[in-house]
């Protein structure tokens, strides 16, 4: 070995040390959240709603169907945070126990829209040609019908109930998922790694499953989070109209409907469930904005 072989491969005066490590992920996440108190508040609201949906007795141990007639239309106070309704039932307890039914319907609706719309958009974008034309013309028909009218038509055919309302809302949201998935599939299908996989003889369904679907699913998942808030509104609206679970079930929309006749004397019976719906939808939308590239655009997601 010569002296040239032993010479260092760095310029004189330059230390041969690794670059400084970036901030730990936990520290970057902490700074990101500290600069966005609204996002932290939205996360707390969603966590509280999820707790109400899965462990309602932790927040409201009482029975939502049992009331005290001596405490009819009592205003909000220490004993009843949201007041009581016309039968003396605690509104807070009914809202907490109603979260389970409302979120169950919302999850079913988003799952139906995500799976059906995602498959339609994936097939249309990957196959192209007449398959794309036929599928997307059907999607255009769905887009031409207002979602609430389409949901009402489907409920008329399916019947009343929480699950049927959820299916109707999900079918009405299929078109938006199909269009987003198709656009992402068209973008990914032209990528070099997909062309390389085809060139080496990879079967089309393997390429679709291993390359196209994972790289096209990101925006669709973000859309699912955003549609979660819209689905809560749609399910609550249909429940308000009386198409949800029958009484004494305490779905959020039916709670608002029960209190509309008492707005002049007991505004809280209608307003408190409505505020819970609004807070949940706004919180989900705020979280969807954070998922939709805000972490990367802010600069905190890059190593510093």
């Amino acid at each position: 070995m010569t002296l040239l072989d032993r010479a260092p491969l760095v310029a004189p005066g330059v230390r041969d040390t690794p670059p400084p490590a970036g901030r730990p992920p936990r520290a970057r996440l902490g700074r990101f959240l500290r600069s966005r108190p609204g996002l932290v508040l939205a996360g707390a609201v969603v966590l509280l709603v999820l707790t109400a949906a899965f462990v309602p007795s932790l927040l409201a141990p009482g029975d939502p169907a049992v009331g005290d007639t001596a405490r009819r239309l009592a205003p909000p106070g220490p004993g009843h945070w949201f007041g009581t309704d016309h039968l003396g039932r605690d509104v807070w307890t009914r809202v907490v126990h109603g979260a389970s039914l409302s979120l169950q319907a919302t999850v079913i609706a988003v799952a139906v829209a995500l799976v059906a719309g995602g498959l339609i958009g994936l097939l249309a974008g990957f196959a192209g040609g007449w398959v794309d034309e036929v599928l997307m013309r059907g999607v255009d028909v769905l887009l031409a019908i207002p979602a609430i009218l389409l949901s009402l038509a489907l409920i008329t055919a399916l019947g009343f109930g929480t699950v049927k309302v959820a299916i109707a809302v999900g079918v009405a949201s299929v078109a938006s998922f199909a269009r987003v998935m198709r656009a992402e599939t068209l973008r990914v299908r032209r990528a070099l790694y997909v062309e390389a996989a085809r060139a080496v003889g990879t079967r089309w369904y393997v390429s679709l499953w291993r390359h196209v679907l994972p790289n096209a699913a990101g925006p669709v998942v973000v859309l699912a989070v955003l549609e979660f808030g819209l689905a809560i509104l749609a399910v609550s609206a249909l429940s308000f109209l009386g198409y949800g679970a029958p009484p004494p079930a305490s779905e959020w929309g039916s709670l608002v409907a029960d209190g509309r006749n008492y707005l002049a004397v007991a505004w809280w019976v209608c307003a408190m469930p409505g505020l819970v719906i609004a807070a949940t939808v706004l919180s989900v939308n705020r979280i969807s904005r954070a998922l939709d590239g805000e972490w990367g655009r802010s600069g905190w997601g890059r190593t510093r």
Side-chain angles (χ1 to χ4, degrees):
M1 182 179 294
T2 64
L3 294 177
L4 182 60
D5 294 329
R6 297 178 182 178
L9 299 179
V10 295
V14 179
R15 294 181 301 174
D16 187 14
T17 57
R23 296 178 184 272
R26 185 176 299 177
R28 296 201 305 271
L29 178 61
R31 295 194 63 179
F32 177 79
L33 293 177
R34 282 196 299 270
S35 63
R36 289 163 176 79
L39 179 59
V40 177
L41 180 61
V45 170
V46 171
L47 181 61
L48 190 65
V49 171
L50 291 176
T51 304
F54 291 101
V55 196
S57 59
L58 185 64
L59 299 176
D63 189 343
V66 175
D68 182 5
T69 55
R71 298 285 297 169
R72 293 178 60 253
L73 301 179
H80 303 281
W81 294 358
F82 284 4
T84 61
D85 62 5
H86 61 288
L87 296 178
R89 297 173 296 189
D90 185 62
V91 177
W92 164 257
T93 302
R94 290 178 62 76
V95 169
V96 169
H97 286 264
S100 177
L101 284 174
S102 297
L103 291 191
Q104 174 192 352
T106 303
V107 169
I108 294 174
V110 174
V112 169
L114 177 63
V115 173
L119 289 177
I120 292 173
L122 185 67
L123 182 59
F126 191 81
W130 65 269
V131 176
D132 184 18
E133 289 293 328
V134 171
L135 292 176
M136 296 316 293
R137 295 298 76 78
V139 169
D140 290 341
V141 171
L142 291 178
L143 287 174
I145 306 173
I148 189 66
L149 294 182
L150 181 58
S151 300
L152 289 173
L154 291 173
I155 290 174
T156 303
L158 296 175
F160 297 359
T162 301
V163 176
K164 295 174 182 178
V165 165
I167 293 174
V169 172
V171 173
S173 303
V174 163
S176 57
F177 283 89
R179 291 179 67 89
V180 172
M181 177 59 87
R182 175 181 178 271
E184 289 299 311
T185 303
L186 289 174
R187 178 185 62 83
V188 175
R189 191 182 65 174
R190 300 187 183 96
L192 292 178
Y193 54 87
V194 177
E195 296 295 336
R198 289 181 178 177
V200 298
T202 304
R203 297 183 181 275
W204 66 270
Y205 53 84
V206 176
S207 179
L208 181 65
W209 179 257
R210 297 186 59 182
H211 300 293
V212 177
L213 180 59
N215 292 282
V220 182
V221 173
V222 175
L223 177 62
V225 179
L226 181 61
E227 285 289 333
F228 195 87
L230 299 178
I232 291 176
L233 285 178
V235 169
S236 299
L238 294 173
S239 178
F240 176 85
L241 295 175
Y243 295 108
S250 55
E251 284 185 338
W252 287 350
S254 62
L255 293 179
V256 177
D258 290 342
R260 59 184 170 177
N261 296 326
Y262 302 93
L263 279 174
V265 294
W267 55 269
W268 54 87
V269 180
C270 182
M272 292 304 185
L275 289 176
V276 171
I277 295 172
T280 304
V281 173
L282 292 175
S283 299
V284 171
N285 289 348
R286 181 64 186 89
I287 293 174
S288 68
R289 281 176 50 200
L291 293 176
D292 190 17
E294 186 176 335
W295 168 260
R297 290 196 305 267
S298 67
W300 298 116
R302 296 190 294 269
T303 302
R304 298 190 177 195

